[in-house]
Amino acid sequence: MKRQKWVSRGTAALMLWVPLLCASPLWAQAGTRLGLQTLGRGYWHVFAAYAIVWILILGWVISIVRRLRRVEERLSAE
Amino acid sequence: MSQTQTRWAVGILGTLGVATVIVLHWMVFFWVPTESTMGIVQRIFYIHVPAWWVAFLGFGLVGLCSAVYLWLGDERLDRAAVTGAEAGMVFTTIGLLTGPLWGRVAWGTWWAWEPRLTLALLLWFIYLGYFLVRRSTVNPEQGKRLAAVVGVIGVLDIPLIHVSVTWLRSLHPEAVILNAEAPMSLDGSMGATIGVGLLAFTFLFASLFLARYTVAGYEYQLTLRDAASGGTQGVGV
């Protein structure tokens, strides 16, 4: 049985990079008084928090896909 | 649900999840105003709270499915429970990692051994124990039952986490969403953003839960085949 691909590598890369590229707090309210407020250089904290979220979720997605491929290969081989 | 239907459901829920996540990022970084006291770091709120919501949803499912599994002994409930536990661990890890990044700026410290944070960390360790107990017995059925007991006990920590900020002296702020005294005390745009965040994470959770549950079903089929043929190449869940 030929293995079906759920998402191509290009689509998966795009799904990862679009949220990460969007996660730039520098763009938020740029030029406004509130936008200039940093309060203890919190920028990298925000970026790190969003990066952690998507890296962990992506890691879980990859682990599910790898397990699915492995069991599908074994089921189709028998 | 057939294999094709499951794939469609995972795909639709996943697409809705990714779409709402993109909308969420636009709202967080281009639309919602900066909070006046904490500044830019408050934007962590829009992923921190949804992560905890789905973590509690996952562990809630573990408690429910484990309790019914102990009663009926249906394997599907055990698979749902282990899937919920895995999802809960992922999202609890997210909550435990994003919280300190926010707290470092807002409170001046990465971590404090105060009630809510300590109970949240305890929840993570309880469900780590769930997986350890599952794999620690020679008889897999016994491991599943013991893990189900841990799953039921662990879920009791969730209401404690919720009330810890009101019942005990806590550094963590009180709830702004599920607060009986001040329901939805957020600014309208912030409320809309957190609403989209909760929706996005719920879609992602539903999609990944269904995908992982399907894999657990295949793994169970393989284990049964191996057991029937006398093989030893079982796949544990």
Side-chain angles (χ1 to χ4, degrees):
Chain A
M1 192 175 81
K2 196 178 175 186
R3 181 163 39 85
Q4 285 182 315
K5 270 194 172 182
W6 283 29
V7 282
S8 68
R9 282 185 185 175
T11 315
L14 191 67
M15 281 160 63
L16 170 67
W17 283 109
V18 165
L20 283 180
L21 285 173
C22 289
S24 172
L26 294 168
W27 296 341
Q29 282 86 43
T32 65
R33 188 176 60 81
L34 283 175
L36 296 172
Q37 185 182 22
T38 57
L39 204 86
R41 299 187 296 277
Y43 287 100
W44 80 264
H45 291 250
V46 178
F47 184 81
Y50 278 77
I52 283 168
V53 170
W54 304 123
I55 287 167
L56 279 176
I57 291 177
L58 193 76
W60 192 38
V61 171
I62 290 169
S63 97
I64 292 171
V65 170
R66 287 180 69 176
R67 277 184 281 191
L68 180 67
R69 282 180 184 170
R70 197 177 63 214
V71 290
E72 278 185 342
E73 277 168 12
R74 280 195 60 201
L75 283 169
S76 61
E78 288 171 14
Chain B
M1 198 184 267
S2 71
Q3 193 178 333
T4 315
Q5 283 174 325
T6 309
R7 288 198 173 200
W8 269 102
V10 170
I12 290 167
L13 289 167
T15 308
L16 285 170
V18 172
T20 43
V21 159
I22 292 169
V23 173
L24 173 70
H25 279 76
W26 177 80
M27 291 175 89
V28 170
F29 296 109
F30 296 96
W31 184 68
V32 74
T34 303
E35 206 268 339
S36 58
T37 52
M38 283 182 279
I40 202 91
V41 79
Q42 183 269 344
R43 285 166 206 275
I44 293 174
F45 170 72
Y46 305 113
I47 47 164
H48 179 73
V49 173
W52 277 112
W53 150 244
V54 287
F56 291 163
L57 189 64
F59 290 143
L61 281 170
V62 180
L64 186 69
C65 294
S66 296
V68 185
Y69 172 73
L70 287 171
W71 180 32
L72 299 175
D74 190 331
E75 286 294 331
R76 287 172 299 181
L77 291 164
D78 176 65
R79 293 202 296 271
V82 80
T83 304
E86 199 172 294
M89 284 298 278
V90 170
F91 288 104
T92 304
T93 306
I94 288 171
L96 286 171
L97 291 175
T98 54
L101 283 163
W102 185 3
R104 181 71 182 93
V105 179
W107 303 338
T109 181
W110 295 103
W111 184 266
W113 292 103
E114 60 89 65
R116 179 169 268 196
L117 272 61
T118 309
L119 287 168
L121 185 64
L122 180 67
L123 186 74
W124 191 88
F125 276 110
I126 288 171
Y127 284 97
L128 179 67
Y130 175 90
F131 288 103
L132 295 177
V133 164
R134 239 183 125 75
R135 291 167 182 268
S136 66
T137 56
V138 178
N139 179 359
E141 294 306 312
Q142 191 184 16
K144 287 176 185 177
R145 282 195 298 275
L146 286 173
V149 173
V150 176
V152 172
I153 293 169
V155 83
L156 300 175
D157 191 30
I158 294 174
L160 290 178
I161 293 171
H162 184 68
V163 299
S164 61
V165 284
T166 45
W167 287 5
L168 303 164
R169 188 176 295 178
S170 180
L171 184 63
H172 197 283
E174 285 194 25
V176 289
I177 298 168
L178 289 175
N179 189 338
E181 290 176 10
M184 214 56 196
S185 54
L186 280 175
D187 170 76
S189 56
M190 290 177 175
T193 310
I194 192 67
V196 171
L198 291 167
L199 196 65
F201 274 63
T202 308
F203 280 138
L204 286 179
F205 171 86
S207 168
L208 294 173
F209 180 92
L210 207 52
R212 178 65 185 89
Y213 179 75
T214 308
V215 174
Y218 289 153
E219 287 173 343
Y220 182 67
Q221 280 179 29
L222 279 175
T223 311
L224 288 181
R225 279 193 192 185
D226 289 341
S229 62
T232 54
Q233 206 180 354
V235 182
V237 287

